Amino acid sequence: MAILLVYVDDIILTGKSTTELHKIQQLLHKTFQVKDLGSLRYFLGFEIARTNKGISINQGKYTLEIVSDAGLLGYKLAPTLMLHGTHLFQDSSTPYQDAPAYRRMIGRLIYLTNTMPNISFTVNQLAQFMTTPTTMHHVAAIRVIKYIKGTPALGLFYPASSTLHIKAYNDSDWTSCPNIKDLFPDIAST
């Protein structure tokens, strides 16, 4: 089996048989000018490192670009993603003046969740307000960026040998959401 991942003019080719991979590479080279860059190290903002212990994937450079573009390189780190007791909801407070910039920021954070699943919940919460963000939502997004600034190379590690263990977690307090009353009035009253 060989796997070919294509994005515009970038191709990742992988598989178990080096002979088979070499044949595919030659076939591609007959039609396109192909340059072999060796082992995968960087692709679409992902930094990949492979050792005999496993594969490590992070988005360190991409994370620092997010921090830099937000103008937060010189700011203090945030020790947590959100302040304790923060509840994001849609209200009539001051709208954020640059909604497209907020959307771009959240979109970049969504892409970052590929290697930083620890920010997924907060980013998902912030993404719910992309149509009409308020200054409160922007402040919360800035805190996420200050948090990721402290761990830019945090990522995922896939060990070469391991036993698969699936773990799941659940937050059963979903009815505490202030917007739930409008969406599900029957459930919210119970």
Side-chain angles (χ1 to χ4, degrees), residues 16-131:
K16 288 189 175 187
S17 169
T18 55
T19 307
E20 186 68 27
L21 295 176
H22 186 66
K23 286 179 186 177
I24 294 170
Q25 191 176 15
Q26 287 177 334
L27 284 170
L28 287 170
H29 195 65
K30 285 181 182 179
T31 307
F32 309 102
Q33 186 173 356
V34 177
K35 183 177 181 184
D36 186 352
L37 300 175
S39 295
L40 182 63
R41 294 190 189 341
Y42 191 80
F43 189 73
L44 301 177
F46 292 89
E47 298 170 37
I48 299 98
R50 184 177 179 166
T51 67
N52 58 353
K53 292 184 179 183
I55 299 172
S56 175
I57 301 174
N58 70 60
Q59 293 172 281
K61 184 175 183 276
Y62 182 74
T63 301
L64 292 175
E65 287 173 7
I66 293 171
V67 174
S68 177
D69 291 349
L72 299 172
L73 283 175
Y75 284 73
K76 283 182 165 183
L77 303 176
T80 59
L81 284 163
M82 296 179 82
L83 291 172
H84 181 71
T86 300
H87 293 284
L88 298 173
F89 54 92
Q90 195 64 55
D91 63 0
S92 59
S93 64
T94 309
Y96 183 61
Q97 293 179 355
D98 194 354
Y102 178 84
R103 290 182 198 112
R104 280 189 302 277
M105 183 186 307
I106 300 306
R108 294 181 85 185
L109 290 171
I110 289 171
Y111 189 64
L112 189 60
T113 63
N114 284 301
T115 57
M116 285 191 177
N118 60 318
I119 68 170
S120 294
F121 177 78
T122 304
V123 172
N124 177 286
Q125 293 291 302
L126 294 167
Q128 294 178 33
F129 308 104
M130 289 175 73
T131 54

